[in-house]
Amino acid sequence: MSEPIQARGPRHRGIYLLPNLFTTGAMFSGFYAIVSAIGGHYATAALAVFVAGILDGMDGRVARLTNTQSEFGVQYDSLSDLVSFGLAPALVMYTWALSSLVDYGPVWGKIGWAAAFIYAVCAALRLARFNTQVGVADKRYFQGLASPAAAGLCMSFVWTMEKFDVPGPSVAFFAMPLAVIAGLLMVSNVRYFSFKAWPKGDRVPFIWLIAAVLIVVLLLIDTARVLFAGMVIYTISGPVMTIWGRATHRRRARRHARTPE
């Protein structure tokens, strides 16, 4: 009589190392930004968030190039984004400027940390909504400001002010609405160009190479201000593009209504 076959336990699957290393590096950069802000090194904290953005943009591309995409990587990337582009910018903004609002009274102190919390929770909601729309949403556009872009807007502002020796408490009343607006734009229905569908082919017009060189030169001359200007332009482009698109749609609807059958 044969021996009974023992039930095998669940097969443990491994994870892909290379793309998750980039994701871990992005999370570490976000964590380092928080530690730097606590230590009063705000420019370093802002730079760390931008490093996290670079690493975050690389992990997905590495996974696609090496054919190592996985559901684990997707979820891990979202958690990393929450740390790097949600909690880190919120805490940097709070320690740098928003915490000083308590000097104007306890109510203002609560408004300061509430503004930081609004940014953080909006980043979490933005990431959750993005995960539920994967494979459904138009890849050419983001619905709402992407969390790395919102973090870039806030951190480029901090970096610029620090470069010109402008202390955070002196611009706290500007930093507060900036954090709230960046947070609300993340959960809005405003459309932003995603750059994911560009370029469409392997070749691009020659003028784009010249533009890329000019951007690199400008970044080398004054990195902080160029980044802040770029982030402001991109942030404004969403509402402008959305309003323009709706106005165009209304004009076409009116023309269609006037056209006889």
Side-chain angles (χ1 to χ4, degrees):
M1 188 173 182
S2 59
E3 296 181 358
I5 299 175
Q6 295 181 355
R8 294 182 179 180
R11 182 179 178 182
H12 296 283
R13 296 181 179 180
I15 61 173
Y16 294 110
L17 179 62
L18 188 58
N20 289 308
L21 280 178
F22 282 94
T23 305
T24 302
M27 184 183 293
F28 172 78
S29 297
F31 178 78
Y32 186 77
I34 296 173
V35 174
S36 297
I38 294 174
H41 306 291
Y42 303 112
T44 302
L47 178 59
V49 173
F50 278 103
V51 172
I54 295 173
L55 294 174
D56 178 69
M58 294 175 65
D59 59 0
R61 288 174 173 81
V62 169
R64 288 188 292 271
L65 287 173
T66 58
N67 196 24
T68 53
Q69 304 99 315
S70 66
E71 183 62 26
F72 174 86
V74 172
Q75 301 303 324
Y76 187 38
D77 182 70
S78 294
L79 294 174
S80 174
D81 289 351
L82 179 58
V83 174
S84 301
F85 311 125
L87 295 177
L91 292 173
V92 172
M93 291 288 282
Y94 180 76
T95 55
W96 176 65
L98 300 180
S99 60
S100 65
L101 289 174
V102 72
D103 296 337
Y104 298 92
V107 175
W108 282 108
K110 294 178 181 178
I111 293 175
W113 65 254
F117 176 73
I118 289 173
Y119 177 93
V121 73
C122 285
L125 293 172
R126 169 72 176 80
L127 292 167
R129 185 177 68 177
F130 178 81
N131 288 342
T132 60
Q133 294 178 344
V134 172
V136 178
D138 189 346
K139 292 184 178 181
R140 295 175 300 172
Y141 303 99
F142 289 127
Q143 183 182 357
L145 185 63
S147 56
L153 175 65
C154 294
M155 294 300 95
S156 60
F157 174 67
V158 173
W159 194 357
T160 301
M161 294 299 102
E162 283 292 302
K163 181 176 181 180
F164 293 97
D165 296 325
V166 178
S170 65
V171 291
F173 283 100
F174 184 83
M176 176 182 61
L178 180 67
V180 173
I181 291 172
L184 295 179
L185 282 175
M186 282 191 281
V187 295
S188 70
N189 290 324
V190 176
R191 293 201 312 172
Y192 284 90
F193 190 64
S194 69
F195 300 101
K196 289 185 177 181
W198 186 91
K200 295 182 179 180
D202 296 331
R203 297 186 178 185
V204 295
F206 181 74
I207 188 65
W208 288 107
L209 178 60
I210 299 175
V213 172
L214 291 176
I215 292 173
V216 171
V217 171
L218 290 174
L219 287 172
L220 290 175
I221 293 174
D222 195 339
T223 306
R225 281 198 291 185
V226 171
L227 285 174
F228 182 54
M231 291 295 102
V232 169
I233 293 172
Y234 181 72
T235 302
I236 295 175
S237 70
V240 171
M241 185 169 60
T242 300
I243 294 172
W244 178 267
R246 290 179 179 177
T248 302
H249 178 73
R250 289 174 182 174
R251 285 197 298 267
R252 290 177 179 176
R254 290 172 184 173
R255 291 176 184 175
H256 181 73
R258 295 173 183 175
T259 302
E261 296 183 357

